[in-house]
Amino acid sequence: MNVHFHSYDAVIVGAGGAGLRAAIEVAGSVRTAVLTKLYPTRSHTGAAQGGMCAALANVEEDYWEWHAFDTVKGSDYLGDQPAIDIMCREAIDAVIDLEHMGMAFSRTPQGRIDQRRFGGHTRNHGEAPVRRSCYAADRTGHMILQTLYQQCVAKEVNFFNEFQVFDVLFEGEGKDRRTAGVVAYELETGDLHVFTSKGVLFATGGYGKMFRVSSNAHTLTGDGPGLLFKRGIPMQDLEFYQFHPTGIYGFGILLSEAARGEGGILRNGLGERFMERVAPTVKDLAPRDMVSRAIHAEIKEGRGAGPSKDYIYLDLTHLPPEQIDAKLPDITDFARTYLGIEPKKDPIPIQPTAHYAMGGIPTNVHGEVVIDGEGTIVPGLYAAGECACVSVHGANRLGTNSLLDIVVFGRRGGRAMADYVTSVDHPTIGRGAEEPVKARIEELKAGSGTEKVAEIRSTLQEAMTRDASVVRTEESLLDSLATIEDLKKRYTQIKIDDKSDVFNYDLTEALELGHLLDLAHGLVVGALARKESRGAHWRDDFPTRDDKNWMKHTLAHLEDDGSIRLDYKPVIGGKYEPMERKY
Amino acid sequence: MTVTEDKTPSTSPAKAELVRVHMRIKRYDPATDTRPRWQEFEVEMSPGDRVLDALHIVKWSQDGTLTFRRSCAHGVCGSDAMVINGENRLACVNLIRDLGTELVIEPIRGLSVIKDLVVDMEPFFAQYKSVLPFLIAKDDPGYKERLQSPEDRERYDDTTKCILCACCTTSCPVYWANSEYVGPAAIVNAHRFIFDSRDDAGQDRLDILNQKSGVWRCRTSFNCTEACPRGIKVTQAIEEVKRAILYDRV
Ligand SMILES: Cc1cc2nc3c(=O)[nH]c(=O)nc-3n(C[C@H](O)[C@H](O)[C@H](O)COP(=O)(O)OP(=O)(O)OC[C@H]3O[C@@H](n4cnc5c(N)ncnc54)[C@H](O)[C@@H]3O)c2cc1C
Ligand code: SF4
Ligand code: SF4
Ligand code: FES
């Protein structure tokens, strides 16, 4: 196996919205390499549909403080308020910044950036839905990703496309360690590349592929969090995983909340608008955790639709066809393509789908990775985007706040890293930095194992969707824990068919599965311990929020023996005191 | 809405009768093959499954060496362009139900094959980059958004949809014959900025596309438009660029 060596001041791992936004910030001033396992424009940011919230007040009165209040409440009071304030205040700047870069926002008749309603976003602390989401039809993420990539092309950012990172390097030990680079695998050749670097920013996106029904791309396997977890970095709040209410039945492909923002209605098998009962004020535009649970309840109580009564309808049939074509062209096409249904005439069968990781690599508001409750950082190590946990989303993210998160904290992380790397000298790495990755790959290729990667992965996905999703109990979580522990044992015996060097996705899928197993393990152990219901984490056996004992963040540690150890750190409060979440 | 008349989606477990799908796939392993070879596979699929699902079944249960790119699985990332039954398509937006149970799958043409269905995308992205595919605006809008009327926004809407999948460029007979031609995808991305009212570098892009590798190579055969999975009117965009060159600006 050939090994190549590179030296940079800064390395960014991932080229979705967060990685690209960071690159724009860093690349001008610092020698930077951006490593990505996909061509940048293929990152899953491009799949985002609905919009990005900012209190521009272009179409009605709005203030960033209202946005912050909604985000805190939406987070079920697990979000850190100083970080939320920063995000909501800088949102306005971030949208204008994107417009200046060329982003093709949808416009008002006056030519200003148009805004629409979205779940959980309200005027004046919950009075009524507010038009806060800036959008480009139902392809906002595509436009953001393209715009950021275009700017990187203009700035001649140095990309290493189809380079997959499998390890992070440190100089020194324990408390004295600092970041020293990464080890990447080049897909086209099978060669290893060691990048020494003063700073490394992870922006590898989510890990929704641990669930069977998921809106996430096949490549969203939690590589960044997974490899850091293995290197002793704790993961925060993994048990908070969001299930989006409206995935296309059977596929999990997302139909954006924008469909409801434009007036779409959820109906059960009897045709009832059941959200009226659950959230009398905002109805179908309640936050996702509530809507997903309401759908779960309708189905469980026998009011689902279809022969197995296992789905719900998203009804757009009453919307003017021109509005559907102008505002929701892509998602209505998805319904046509995958279900053969014309949404202008027939309601669309939907079910909740695994969507977004609120948890991940713990960071502060500068994108620096924080490893404990005291705010201790690992110098040179940064994370941003869905793989990170700042935490601005707490126990439940509001729609549109992730596109916002990735640009705000991508920029902040990039800026902090650029400052840091200009103030320190170059790290040194020992000989054989690539050895662990090299050994693992050689072992897999030589492999005498018997277990199939695809089988372990689908068993994991089944178990997670069945036992650790919208509604959890001690019993269901113990079941999923037993499955994961068994799968982790079987994982040590995997075999792959492809032993070649060139584009060996058989090999990379095998390595990705290791990340999914560890992160699922952390998720389930965290969920078992958390004996309350908060945001997306709902325990049927503990159906209330318990602020006295549980208003705290979970930190999961992956131990050398493969077990998970938990500790906790306090939530950072602010001006909003916890209250009951009613909509 | 009608709830009594039950529209059962084809993916419903209740309706999931399986069909046998026969696949012929063009394969090439640079380590062992001197030229591409055909291999056949049989898989059981439900009619509502995607061609991509069928490829996954092969890869995951029959032959892990079968190699193709993919990510989003619903037609938004542009990874899985391939020739399916003679036409350029994304494997993830075509269902067995629509294409039938006989599938012939080959890599897209005009870019060199690296392994199986994976081709070298570097020339394609280099051509994309050659047309200045980014906003160049000379004004300083200060701390506020630029205004753009809905009509001006609509003017370039169609070409903003491009996902850089290369279906168009690799269906173009002119591109097959001469890889110097920048190709329809690059022109689409130039169009996106030439017709954006906020942009000031339209003339520079028109000059680039007026060169011998530019728009004049296009012979208006519409293959590209038919191939585009995003429904972009590619040939029309090329025509608009040609007209802009001829009649000086948009
Ligand atoms: C269908 C869908 C719709 C959504 N709609 C909205 C919306 O309307 N509004 C909103 O706010 N949010 C939305 N979200 C959420 C939001 O889009 C994502 O959370 C966000 O885009 C994530 O961006 P990211 O930059 O963190 O990661 P991604 O865009 O997923 O990028 C990850 C990057 O990491 C790279 N990578 C991964 N692993 C490695 C590795 N080992 N080595 C090298 N590179 C690696 C990949 O190549 C990729 O470039 C949606 C999500 C989905 C799935
Ligand atoms: S219209 Fe032009 S670009 Fe498109 S396929 Fe024909 S020759 Fe090629
Ligand atoms: S124009 Fe259409 S076919 Fe061509 S690259 Fe863009 S999306 Fe693909
Ligand atoms: S896998 Fe993304 S377009 Fe097909």
Side-chain angles (χ1 to χ4, degrees):
Chain A
M1 195 180 293
N2 295 321
V3 185
H4 310 263
F5 295 88
H6 311 258
S7 175
Y8 282 91
D9 291 326
V11 163
I12 293 169
V13 184
L20 294 177
R21 188 62 192 83
I24 290 169
E25 210 58 27
V26 187
S29 54
V30 173
R31 270 196 83 234
T32 308
V34 181
L35 279 50
T36 169
K37 69 176 177 180
L38 304 171
Y39 275 93
T41 53
R42 293 169 180 180
S43 306
H44 212 55
T45 292
Q49 301 166 353
M52 164 175 173
C53 268
L56 298 182
N58 274 4
V59 288
E60 61 178 306
E61 187 185 10
D62 199 7
Y63 304 96
W64 72 259
E65 290 88 347
W66 293 358
H67 185 183
F69 169 80
D70 290 336
T71 304
V72 173
K73 182 175 169 192
S75 84
D76 221 349
Y77 300 93
L78 195 74
D80 289 339
Q81 294 194 29
I84 291 173
D85 282 350
I86 286 174
M87 181 175 80
C88 296
R89 205 170 45 218
E90 294 185 7
I92 298 162
D93 201 12
V95 168
I96 290 172
D97 192 40
L98 281 169
E99 198 285 326
H100 290 180
M101 291 182 193
M103 166 101 181
F105 285 107
S106 294
R107 300 284 177 158
T108 66
Q110 296 73 37
R112 309 190 68 183
I113 294 169
D114 199 9
Q115 298 187 274
R116 67 177 161 206
R117 300 189 178 104
F118 234 84
H121 291 279
T122 68
R123 55 170 285 115
N124 197 18
H125 313 94
E127 268 177 24
V130 73
R131 293 174 64 179
R132 183 179 290 148
S133 169
C134 310
Y135 67 99
D138 55 356
R139 41 182 98 94
T140 314
H142 166 75
M143 298 291 194
I144 290 181
L145 185 67
Q146 293 287 327
T147 302
L148 294 174
Y149 182 61
Q150 289 155 3
Q151 288 302 307
C152 288
V153 170
K155 293 187 160 39
E156 299 182 13
V157 169
N158 190 11
F159 286 103
F160 289 80
N161 295 325
E162 307 199 305
F163 273 56
Q164 186 158 2
V165 170
F166 283 121
D167 204 359
V168 60
L169 302 173
F170 296 110
E171 180 191 85
E173 298 277 322
K175 285 235 174 298
D176 295 326
R177 77 184 162 171
R178 68 155 166 152
T179 310
V182 295
V183 179
Y185 174 82
E186 184 182 3
L187 288 164
E188 188 176 342
T189 58
D191 290 354
L192 286 181
H193 294 256
V194 177
F195 288 80
T196 39
S197 176
K198 300 175 191 174
V200 176
L201 183 143
F202 282 91
T204 57
Y207 38 84
K209 271 294 150 183
M210 67 171 69
F211 297 93
R212 179 175 62 81
V213 180
S214 170
S215 69
N216 279 201
H218 285 288
T219 48
L220 287 174
T221 50
D223 297 13
L227 69 90
L228 290 169
F229 210 12
K230 268 219 153 53
R231 287 283 171 212
I233 307 292
M235 290 299 131
Q236 184 172 327
D237 294 338
L238 291 177
E239 64 268 35
F240 295 101
Y241 198 93
Q242 178 166 81
F243 299 86
H244 194 293
T246 55
I248 293 184
Y249 177 66
F251 287 89
I253 297 168
L254 195 77
L255 298 178
S256 170
E257 209 163 282
R260 283 170 283 140
E262 295 290 344
I265 291 174
L266 295 170
R267 297 189 190 277
N268 64 18
L270 307 171
E272 294 166 343
R273 185 179 191 179
F274 55 91
M275 283 310 297
E276 273 173 347
R277 271 185 268 126
V278 183
T281 313
V282 296
K283 304 187 179 76
D284 300 275
L285 285 174
R288 292 172 181 178
D289 55 332
M290 291 188 165
V291 183
S292 286
R293 274 197 296 281
I295 292 175
H296 187 272
E298 291 302 304
I299 292 174
K300 198 171 153 205
E301 288 157 24
R303 294 189 296 274
S308 318
K309 293 192 186 302
D310 60 348
Y311 56 79
I312 289 292
Y313 289 116
L314 172 61
D315 184 7
L316 307 178
T317 54
H318 54 289
L319 299 183
E322 319 78 64
Q323 188 187 351
I324 292 184
D325 290 339
K327 303 293 179 65
L328 306 168
D330 278 8
I331 62 166
T332 44
D333 254 357
F334 295 155
R336 291 179 198 113
T337 303
Y338 296 103
L339 297 178
I341 274 179
E342 176 46 64
K344 290 174 188 162
K345 295 209 184 72
D346 289 303
I348 312 167
I350 53 99
Q351 68 185 141
T353 184
H355 185 57
Y356 182 84
M358 269 77 70
I361 307 162
T363 73
N364 60 26
V365 296
H366 308 293
E368 295 169 308
V369 175
V370 179
I371 56 170
D372 56 24
E374 276 77 63
T376 309
I377 61 161
V378 182
L381 191 59
Y382 300 82
E386 190 172 337
C387 71
C389 179
V390 182
S391 135
V392 283
H393 310 303
N396 173 61
R397 170 173 75 85
L398 290 189
T400 75
N401 271 353
S402 173
L403 290 175
L404 179 57
D405 171 3
I406 65 180
V407 291
V408 167
F409 292 102
R411 170 156 81 172
R412 287 183 146 258
R415 191 175 295 162
M417 178 162 71
D419 286 346
Y420 167 77
V421 300
T422 45
S423 69
V424 295
D425 53 1
H426 216 75
T428 46
I429 50 162
R431 280 168 63 92
E434 73 286 3
E435 272 314 317
V437 178
K438 190 174 167 200
R440 182 75 183 114
I441 290 174
E442 281 170 352
E443 174 189 313
L444 272 172
K445 283 192 182 174
S448 53
T450 51
E451 296 283 354
K452 278 202 158 277
V453 171
E455 238 173 75
I456 296 181
R457 188 176 46 218
S458 64
T459 311
L460 172 72
Q461 291 168 338
E462 277 302 331
M464 294 300 287
T465 288
R466 190 184 52 236
D467 297 326
S469 291
V470 179
V471 169
R472 303 159 172 176
T473 62
E474 169 135 336
E475 199 190 346
S476 77
L477 290 166
L478 284 172
D479 282 349
S480 55
L481 181 61
T483 307
I484 293 166
E485 283 171 347
D486 176 53
L487 292 176
K488 277 178 102 167
K489 277 193 211 109
R490 289 172 57 189
Y491 181 70
T492 61
Q493 300 300 317
I494 50 170
K495 71 161 180 138
I496 55 174
D497 290 349
D498 196 342
K499 311 285 159 93
S500 73
D501 293 329
V502 178
F503 278 103
N504 190 340
Y505 287 127
D506 206 25
L507 172 76
T508 54
E509 279 188 30
L511 294 167
E512 288 167 348
L513 176 59
H515 302 314
L516 289 179
L517 284 167
D518 285 339
L519 295 169
H521 196 184
L523 186 158
V524 167
V525 172
L528 254 176
R530 189 174 280 273
K531 294 188 175 14
E532 66 158 350
S533 289
R534 181 186 297 272
H537 170 69
W538 182 271
R539 291 278 305 254
D540 253 353
D541 41 357
F542 299 94
T544 48
R545 194 175 78 200
D546 175 358
D547 288 335
K548 191 160 152 282
N549 295 304
W550 287 105
M551 210 170 93
K552 58 188 179 187
H553 296 292
T554 305
L555 288 177
H557 303 259
L558 180 63
E559 304 284 63
D560 288 340
D561 64 0
S563 64
I564 302 282
R565 174 173 61 82
L566 301 178
D567 59 36
Y568 294 90
K569 71 177 187 185
V571 172
I572 308 175
K575 59 176 174 289
Y576 302 113
E577 291 299 326
M579 56 179 201
E580 198 195 338
R581 239 169 113 233
K582 272 205 212 127
Y583 286 91
Chain B
M1 73 161 229
T2 42
V3 283
T4 39
E5 170 210 356
D6 203 359
K7 280 251 163 187
T8 307
S10 56
T11 47
S12 160
K15 260 210 187 171
E17 67 220 39
L18 298 181
V19 292
R20 179 164 284 273
V21 177
H22 177 240
M23 301 167 84
R24 266 187 97 216
I25 304 178
K26 199 183 223 173
R27 307 209 46 191
Y28 172 72
D29 179 349
T32 53
D33 297 332
T34 49
R35 71 171 81 100
R37 64 195 154 84
W38 289 96
Q39 192 174 351
E40 322 230 338
F41 299 95
E42 296 267 330
V43 287
E44 302 258 295
M45 305 299 303
S46 103
D49 284 333
R50 297 161 274 215
V51 174
L52 181 65
D53 298 320
L55 288 167
H56 272 144
I57 296 285
V58 171
K59 183 172 182 67
W60 291 340
S61 63
Q62 298 183 21
D63 184 351
T65 67
L66 180 68
T67 302
F68 48 91
R69 292 190 179 101
R70 80 332 181 217
S71 184
C72 72
H74 65 287
V76 297
C77 78
S79 296
D80 58 343
M82 47 189 84
V83 183
I84 305 173
N85 292 356
E87 280 173 36
N88 283 12
R89 309 171 195 259
L90 301 176
C92 64
V93 294
N94 285 276
L95 307 186
I96 306 292
R97 169 187 337 124
D98 302 322
L99 294 189
T101 53
E102 290 290 327
L103 299 176
V104 182
I105 304 180
E106 306 159 70
I108 44 178
R109 281 165 276 189
L111 295 167
S112 53
V113 176
I114 300 176
K115 180 179 177 182
D116 292 348
L117 303 170
V118 173
V119 301
D120 181 9
M121 296 298 298
E122 288 300 317
F124 175 83
F125 279 102
Q127 277 152 335
Y128 159 80
K129 287 177 190 163
S130 74
V131 299
L132 309 175
F134 39 82
L135 187 81
I136 302 174
K138 303 221 165 74
D139 62 324
D140 175 8
Y143 182 75
K144 55 184 191 323
E145 70 204 270
R146 290 189 192 85
L147 298 183
Q148 183 168 55
S149 71
E151 296 71 38
D152 284 345
R153 167 67 180 74
E154 185 58 26
R155 182 67 192 87
Y156 65 100
D157 186 61
D158 202 37
T159 45
T160 61
K161 297 178 200 157
C162 176
I163 52 173
L164 296 167
C165 67
C167 277
C168 55
T169 298
T170 61
S171 72
C172 171
V174 177
Y175 189 78
W176 297 337
N178 186 343
S179 58
E180 295 286 289
Y181 173 37
V182 304
I187 303 173
V188 160
N189 283 279
H191 178 285
R192 183 247 171 272
F193 290 102
I194 293 169
F195 294 92
D196 184 335
S197 58
R198 300 169 295 174
D199 186 84
D200 296 317
Q203 195 56 50
D204 298 336
R205 294 190 197 90
L206 293 176
D207 290 344
I208 292 169
L209 292 174
N210 196 16
Q211 290 167 7
K212 74 175 197 309
S213 57
V215 287
W216 303 112
R217 289 202 179 263
C218 165
R219 280 183 290 176
T220 325
S221 65
F222 285 96
N223 290 27
C224 52
T225 303
E226 277 158 32
C228 178
R230 303 289 290 143
I232 298 171
K233 299 183 194 73
V234 182
T235 312
Q236 183 181 322
I238 298 172
E239 286 302 302
E240 288 175 4
V241 171
K242 286 179 182 170
R243 251 179 279 141
I245 296 175
L246 283 178
Y247 305 116
D248 222 11
R249 216 30 211 164
V250 287

